[in-house]
Amino acid sequence: EQSLVIVINFTPVPRFDYRIGLPHGGVWQEKLNSDSLYYGGSNLGNPLALTAEDRPWMGRAHSIALTLPPLGAVVMGLAP
């Protein structure tokens, strides 16, 4: 079973160290970034895998801090 977390930034301002709660721990990687160079964007995002911290956030036991591109969406999933 694959878990995905979708985060959308509706503002024109990039968000650095934006913390989100996760359904479970593990190593998470960016599966899709709407700001990718592939789509003509500036490529602001999370190129490296991120390990979830045991830090409660948003009612979840685990969390990570992301970089969110302006007016963009990031899809995070567990690394294989």
Side-chain angles (χ1 to χ4, degrees):
E1 183 176 310
Q2 178 68 30
S3 293
L4 296 175
V5 175
I6 301 166
V7 186
I8 302 171
N9 182 4
F10 288 107
T11 73
V13 179
R15 303 294 177 184
F16 300 96
D17 295 319
Y18 187 85
R19 186 160 295 278
I20 61 166
L22 297 171
H24 42 80
V27 178
W28 292 75
Q29 68 182 30
E30 197 172 79
K31 301 291 187 179
L32 182 131
N33 178 349
S34 66
D35 196 48
S36 168
L37 289 175
Y38 182 79
Y39 305 118
S42 66
N43 215 35
L44 183 65
N46 307 277
L48 302 176
L50 301 168
T51 301
E53 300 174 43
D54 291 331
R55 181 176 175 184
W57 204 262
M58 304 169 112
R60 303 289 184 156
H62 304 283
S63 64
I64 55 175
L66 298 173
T67 296
L68 299 177
L71 301 171
V74 171
V75 178
M76 301 296 291
L78 284 170

